[in-house]
Each structure stands twice: as C-alpha cells, then as structure tokens.
Amino acid sequence: MPLEIRRLIREMSLANPLWGAPRIHGELLKLGIDIGQTSVAKYMAWRRAPPSQGWKTFLRNHADGIAAMDLFVVPTIFFRPVYGLLIMGHGRRQILWFGVTAHPTAEWIANQLTQACGWEQIPRYLIRDRDRAYGEIFIRRVRSIGI
C-alpha cells in the first residue's frame, strides 16, 4: 500500500469523523483508487470515543423512573393456569401492583398498568419482555401516558 494512499485514508477519516470504512472506501473508488474496504478500515485513524454509561450506571442514575413488569403463569391445584402480573418500581424496589386473571388480554394488562401507576406517577421507562399478550391496545396506552 503506497504511503500517499494511507495518508489520504487517515486524512479523510480525521476530516469526516462520522464516516466509516464503507463510506471512505466508496469515495476512494470514485477517485479511481482500487482498494479493499478492510484495508481502508486498517489504515483509518483511531479515535477514542468517550466511555458510554453501562447498564449498572444507567439503573443507578434512573432507578426512580424505571418500572418493570412481568406476566407469569401459576398452576392451580386443579391444574388450571392462572396468570399473574407483577409491576415493580426500581427506585425503592417495591411492588407497585399485582394482578391475577384467568384470561389475560392486552386491554386488561393496559388497565393494570394504569391502576398501578395512575396518570400522575408514571415511570419514564418500562422494562418488559416481548410477550404476545402485550398487544396493540397495551402499546397505545403506554405511549398515551408518556412512557
């Protein structure tokens, strides 16, 4: 690899910090410089990015605005499933709401969330799994109350 091309790659990467190797590779091809994308990535200038906050730091900083919810199955003595919904606030690690039903629907879950948080004490973030029970009605309710 000629020194001039290596310098050009380094200069392009420093002048355009948002450009990655694919973009610089494309620009070099437009200039008639036939070089592989991996070679471009190899000769780009390395920039040390500021450290991003980790998951543990995020939870510590935003614990008061986070709630988590989970829908789980509890078999009864007659082997009929009953579904429990637990909503927990992370700030004080307290149970905000606990509901039980035999037939969970998205509307029921949305109502449980509204009853747990009300319209005034809504959390900023809601941690949940990707269960199918959280349907379109639930998603609209979450968006409408500002989570």
Coordinates of all heavy atoms in Angstrom, one line a residue, residues 55 71 133 141 147:
W55 N -24.9 -0.5 31.8 CA -26.3 -0.8 32.3 C -26.4 -0.5 33.8 O -27.4 0.0 34.2 CB -26.6 -2.3 31.9 CG -28.0 -2.7 32.3 CD1 -28.3 -3.6 33.2 CD2 -29.2 -2.2 31.7 NE1 -29.7 -3.8 33.3 CE2 -30.2 -2.9 32.3 CE3 -29.5 -1.3 30.7 CZ2 -31.6 -2.7 32.0 CZ3 -30.8 -1.1 30.4 CH2 -31.8 -1.8 31.1
L71 N -45.5 -10.9 33.2 CA -46.7 -11.8 33.2 C -46.2 -13.2 33.4 O -45.4 -13.7 32.6 CB -47.5 -11.6 31.9 CG -48.8 -12.2 31.8 CD1 -49.8 -11.6 32.8 CD2 -49.4 -12.1 30.4
A133 N -48.9 -11.3 24.7 CA -50.1 -10.7 25.5 C -50.1 -9.2 25.5 O -51.2 -8.6 25.6 CB -50.1 -11.2 26.9
R141 N -51.6 2.5 25.0 CA -51.8 3.0 26.4 C -50.5 3.5 26.9 O -50.4 4.6 27.5 CB -52.4 2.0 27.3 CG -52.5 2.4 28.7 CD -53.7 3.4 29.0 NE -54.9 2.9 28.5 CZ -55.8 2.1 29.2 NH1 -55.5 1.8 30.4 NH2 -56.9 1.7 28.6
I147 N -44.9 6.9 28.6 CA -43.7 6.0 29.0 C -42.9 5.8 27.7 O -43.4 5.5 26.7 CB -44.2 4.7 29.6 CG1 -45.0 4.9 30.8 CG2 -43.0 3.8 29.8 CD1 -45.5 3.7 31.5

